[in-house]
Amino acid sequence: MTDTLTLPRPDDWHLHLRDGAMLAAVVPESARHFARALIMPNLVPPVVTGAQAAAYRARILTALPDGADFTPLMTLYLTEATDPADVVAAHRDGVIAAVKLYPAGATTNSASGVRNFDAVRGVLEAMAEAGVPLCLHGEVTDPAVDIFDREAVFLERVLEPVRRATPGLRVVLEHVTTEDGLDYVRAGGPDLAGTITAHHLMINRNHILAGGIRPHYYCLPVAKRERHRLALVEAATAGEACFFLGTDSAPHPDHDKEAACGCAGCFTAPVAMACLAQVFEAAGALPRLEGFVARHGAAFYGLPVNADSITLLKSASPLDIPASVGSGGGRVTVFDPGFPLFWRVAD
Ligand code: NCD
Ligand code: ZN
């Protein structure tokens, strides 16, 4: 039985770190295991200019524990007022690695997102020209579309027209949750990739809704049926280079999650690697974990694989997972898959 696994330090291609006291509380949890992370710009107000991204990056670096080896890769929040020249300059100067598109109203802090896709055509064309990747929250916001169908409908209503209108645009369909999304990415060629979270590999919609509502499993896109979860596990563990890890670790204080209108997001950073090792082991695919967490994403973004390594160890006794971390603004519950985890990252 394999009980130790060494791999290059992993990257997280979709991470929410927030700001202020929450940032200080959660950034050590990612920096402990991950070498780099693509930082989401949905602060309040959002990070919309290169100057704001540079300032946010500086705040993240200040919040890091001493000696941490962690590189935040910044993103800009695309709005209908985004200046193409600012995007291109920020990418050229190494301030940002990508631009993030939230359909307006799709998720937490997305009110400034895009309503009219024609309004951002000029920015997307400039990004295609300059090689700036576009990361997409792939859900339509049309209230007439069932929440469980919003990803599949997004593919035909938004993603396909955007890609057709902007040849050469490099696109990441983030946090894929459906077979439809996986198949779309597979067919999309080298300019298209998909990220998959750790929690969508572990939970389906029953985990959220059956036997009582579990707010800490509620995230967007919402987890789908079991057959979609199984398809995600297959995509992640089969070694397909178009899929890589983006945890979408999204901390919220418990009082905002455990509410009459609880907000979306699972805080997975502390346990993401333990969860993934367990999923890959169960699929008989531990040797392919390295590609999913450390190689495929770096290749898509044209970055070197991290030179340092981490070691995962499997213990006989379950991992002692902290139930929550303090954030200054209330406790933040750590994602609990509902069964014991046996893998941990060696110190
Ligand atoms: C994210 C958040 O809390 O910022 N929530 C989530 O459920 N994933 C927003 C997002 O990425 O959709
Ligand atoms: Zn997210």
Side-chain angles (χ1 to χ4, degrees), residues 16 64-65 127 134 136 155 160 238 251 265 278 290 312 322 334 343:
H16 298 270
L64 280 172
M127 287 168 56
L134 176 71
L136 286 168
L155 304 175
E160 182 61 19
Q278 196 135 323
E290 172 169 332
L312 290 155
V334 176
W343 288 89

Side-chain angles (χ1 to χ4, degrees), residues 14 16 18 40 42 100 102 107-109 137 175 218-221 248 250-252 264-266:
H14 181 133
H16 298 270
R18 317 302 189 200
M40 291 299 115
N42 62 331
K100 171 80 188 223
Y102 290 97
T107 185
T108 314
N109 305 338
H137 183 107
H175 39 52
Y218 174 61
C219 66
L220 289 171
D248 197 11
H252 293 276
C266 297

Side-chain angles (χ1 to χ4, degrees):
M1 187 185 73
T2 308
D3 54 11
T4 150
L5 183 70
T6 297
L7 54 151
R9 283 192 81 208
D11 298 316
D12 181 352
W13 294 102
H14 181 133
L15 177 64
H16 298 270
L17 287 178
R18 317 302 189 200
D19 215 340
M22 181 66 92
L23 165 62
V26 300
V27 72
E29 302 297 331
S30 288
R32 194 171 294 138
H33 299 161
F34 294 95
R36 299 176 290 212
L38 192 71
I39 310 302
M40 291 299 115
N42 62 331
L43 304 183
V44 186
V47 179
V48 295
T49 66
Q52 289 168 351
Y56 183 30
R57 182 174 187 278
R59 296 198 296 280
I60 295 169
L61 295 177
T62 303
L64 280 172
D66 287 345
D69 177 12
F70 179 76
T71 304
L73 301 169
M74 309 309 293
T75 58
L76 291 186
Y77 188 118
L78 184 63
T79 74
E80 293 175 19
T82 296
D83 173 8
D86 183 53
V87 170
V88 170
H91 186 257
R92 182 199 58 215
D93 297 345
V95 174
I96 61 159
V99 169
K100 171 80 188 223
L101 190 158
Y102 290 97
T107 185
T108 314
N109 305 338
S110 63
S112 338
V114 174
R115 285 181 172 76
N116 170 13
F117 286 83
D118 288 332
V120 294
R121 182 130 306 153
V123 188
L124 299 183
E125 279 166 10
M127 287 168 56
E129 173 88 25
V132 186
L134 176 71
C135 295
L136 286 168
H137 183 107
E139 290 190 288
V140 292
T141 53
D142 180 348
V145 178
D146 188 278
I147 191 166
F148 291 101
D149 298 333
R150 287 181 180 188
E151 181 173 292
V153 173
F154 180 88
L155 304 175
E156 64 186 61
R157 269 200 211 167
V158 180
L159 185 50
E160 182 61 19
V162 164
R163 293 185 60 239
R164 263 176 209 272
T166 327
L169 183 65
R170 313 204 67 227
V171 174
V172 181
L173 180 63
E174 301 192 280
H175 39 52
V176 180
T177 59
T178 58
E179 279 179 322
D180 316 60
L182 296 170
D183 288 344
Y184 187 90
V185 170
R186 286 186 178 109
D191 288 336
L192 184 62
T195 60
I196 299 176
T197 74
H199 53 281
H200 288 116
L201 296 173
M202 307 190 93
I203 61 167
N204 64 35
R205 64 196 206 175
N206 278 10
H207 291 87
I208 311 170
L209 296 169
I213 192 157
R214 297 207 175 51
H216 296 290
Y217 287 155
Y218 174 61
C219 66
L220 289 171
V222 70
K224 308 295 192 298
R225 291 176 180 276
E226 177 66 358
R227 77 177 157 83
H228 293 290
R229 187 190 72 82
L230 293 173
L232 293 168
V233 171
E234 170 66 23
T237 60
E240 295 177 76
C242 57
F243 298 116
F244 44 87
L245 175 66
T247 65
D248 197 11
S249 180
H252 293 276
D254 285 349
H255 57 83
D256 287 341
K257 298 274 306 166
E258 299 169 6
C261 183
C263 58
C266 297
F267 178 48
T268 54
V271 291
M273 288 307 301
C275 289
L276 289 166
Q278 196 135 323
V279 167
F280 276 68
E281 182 188 41
L286 268 181
R288 292 198 279 272
L289 181 60
E290 172 169 332
F292 183 67
V293 302
R295 293 190 180 276
H296 303 166
F300 183 85
Y301 281 93
L303 293 171
V305 172
N306 298 304
D308 288 349
S309 57
I310 60 164
T311 297
L312 290 155
L313 305 171
K314 188 177 183 186
S315 327
S317 51
L319 189 66
D320 198 8
I321 301 166
S324 61
V325 302
S327 74
R331 305 293 302 176
V332 180
T333 291
V334 176
F335 178 78
D336 173 359
F339 48 80
L341 295 171
F342 292 92
W343 288 89
R344 66 185 171 83
V345 180
D347 298 328

